[in-house]
Amino acid sequence: MRDFAAITMIGITPYVLVGGPAARGGSLREFLDDARARPGGVNYASVGTSTLGYLLTRQLESLTGTQMTHVPHRGSAAVYPDLLNGTVAMLLDNPTGSAGLVRGGRLRAFAITRRSPLLPEVPSFADSGVPDFDAVFWYGLVAPAGTPALVVARIQAELARHFLDAGRAELAAKEVEPVMDSPAAFARSIAADVTAFRAVAERLGLRPE
């Protein structure tokens, strides 16, 4: 908030809960029932405790009365092999990274925060009995703090002109819904996320590791 000047939120993508061979159940409800029956017996992956995927998984545990075991990874390239070989059971991911593996039958998608054309058959968390779980992953652009407002506005305008026209297909191919909001609106979104997820971290007693 202090070091950067918001330019624009480029776009958003949903989160999908995917499971590998170690995930039991054919639906989100069955998966959660199994996790509740085996406290600590279901392993989940993340790419770090300061990431939104980790915070959201902890929030999901809180909302559903489950207790799972965290297995941190250094990056998404290390997560998928462990999902596929059963070292971990589940991951909260975005559809761009996992849709191909789901369509190929190597992973199962239990629920998604927003319905997606990449995974049209996957139900939402709300439709699956977890109505309070909703989040998106956003992509945005920032500049160093103190960048002149006219420069920030020019960059935002050029990005919006491209990605809301000829470049829209580039985002659609990655299942990213364009936003291209104003610098002020993006700054408000960042501030709201900081407030919301700081509250989640404090409520769950999380500390950076």
Side-chain angles (χ1 to χ4, degrees):
M1 297 298 295
R2 291 188 301 270
D3 296 338
F4 298 99
I7 296 178
T8 190
M9 183 184 293
I10 294 171
I12 59 174
T13 185
Y15 272 92
V16 60
L17 192 160
V18 293
R24 302 179 184 178
S27 67
L28 178 65
R29 188 180 303 276
E30 292 173 355
F31 172 80
L32 294 174
D33 285 345
D34 176 67
R36 279 188 285 266
R38 298 188 295 132
V42 176
N43 294 341
Y44 69 92
S46 85
V47 293
T49 56
S50 62
T51 63
L52 187 56
Y54 173 74
L55 285 172
L56 288 172
T57 305
R58 294 298 307 273
Q59 186 180 38
L60 181 65
E61 287 180 300
S62 178
L63 289 170
T64 58
T66 54
Q67 178 189 340
M68 298 181 281
T69 298
H70 179 222
V71 182
H73 290 69
R74 290 190 176 274
S76 57
V79 171
Y80 289 112
D82 278 0
L83 267 175
L84 295 170
N85 66 27
T87 300
V88 294
M90 63 83 78
L91 169 72
L92 273 171
D93 197 12
N94 65 64
T96 306
S98 53
L101 292 169
V102 172
R103 287 194 294 265
R106 304 184 69 191
L107 294 178
R108 282 172 289 168
F110 289 107
I112 196 165
T113 56
R114 309 280 176 91
R115 300 300 291 266
S116 167
L118 277 183
L119 296 168
E121 73 287 354
V122 179
S124 68
F125 279 91
D127 291 339
S128 302
V130 190
D132 296 328
F133 187 72
D134 180 35
V136 294
F137 184 92
W138 54 254
Y139 301 88
L141 193 69
V142 297
T147 300
L150 287 176
V151 174
V152 168
R154 173 69 184 275
I155 296 171
Q156 188 278 335
E158 293 297 334
L159 284 170
R161 184 176 295 112
H162 173 70
F163 283 113
L164 293 178
D165 188 19
R168 183 181 286 269
E170 299 173 40
L171 297 183
K174 298 175 173 60
E175 187 50 25
V176 176
E177 177 185 340
V179 176
M180 301 302 160
D181 54 0
S182 69
F186 185 31
R188 289 193 295 271
S189 294
I190 294 173
D193 276 359
V194 168
T195 299
F197 287 102
R198 179 182 287 134
V200 171
E202 290 176 350
R203 184 172 70 250
L204 297 175
L206 306 181
R207 295 291 181 267
E209 297 177 6

